[in-house]
Amino acid sequence: MSYLRAAALSELEEDTPKRVELDGVPVSLVRTEGEVFAINDICSHANVSLSEGEVEDCSIECWLHGSSFDLRTGKPNGLPATRPVPVYPVKIEGDDVLVSVTQES
């Protein structure tokens, strides 16, 4: 599994998604509840950016129709989305946030 530098940890504000692109993959980085999560930035329901949504209770909400996805698993928390979005492994090295988009979990 190869990791790419996605951002500096110091750049990530608590509960504020940050969109990055890694090897052509749109990723939303979220720092919340003492952890950093990486989830595919495209909502499985409406093909819009999740990083424009709000974060609450370790979930990110799509701003368009209100679908919410668990940041740990990518599974939808309710309708209208029924399909999960990919989540990616994250590791922190110093101030670097590293993400692997080569193997989805």
Side-chain angles (χ1 to χ4, degrees), residues 4-66:
L4 301 170
R5 185 182 184 281
L9 185 60
S10 58
E11 293 174 9
L12 301 179
E13 296 179 36
E14 187 77 11
D15 296 331
T16 302
K18 177 179 178 68
R19 186 183 195 279
V20 297
E21 193 166 307
L22 302 171
D23 276 352
V25 178
V27 175
S28 182
L29 298 174
V30 179
R31 184 178 191 172
T32 188
E33 299 183 7
E35 293 186 64
V36 176
F37 299 93
I39 189 166
N40 192 284
D41 192 45
I42 304 301
C43 178
S44 63
H45 169 255
N47 196 31
V48 297
S49 176
L50 290 175
S51 62
E52 295 177 31
E54 294 185 12
V55 174
E56 186 176 338
D57 297 329
C58 212
S59 294
I60 189 166
E61 183 179 72
C62 178
W63 62 271
L64 188 59
H65 295 116

Side-chain angles (χ1 to χ4, degrees), residues 56-89:
E56 186 176 338
D57 297 329
C58 212
S59 294
I60 189 166
E61 183 179 72
C62 178
W63 62 271
L64 188 59
H65 295 116
S67 291
S68 175
F69 299 89
D70 188 302
L71 290 167
R72 297 167 292 233
T73 65
K75 293 180 181 175
N77 295 322
L79 298 174
T82 58
R83 291 177 292 127
V85 294
V87 295
Y88 307 103

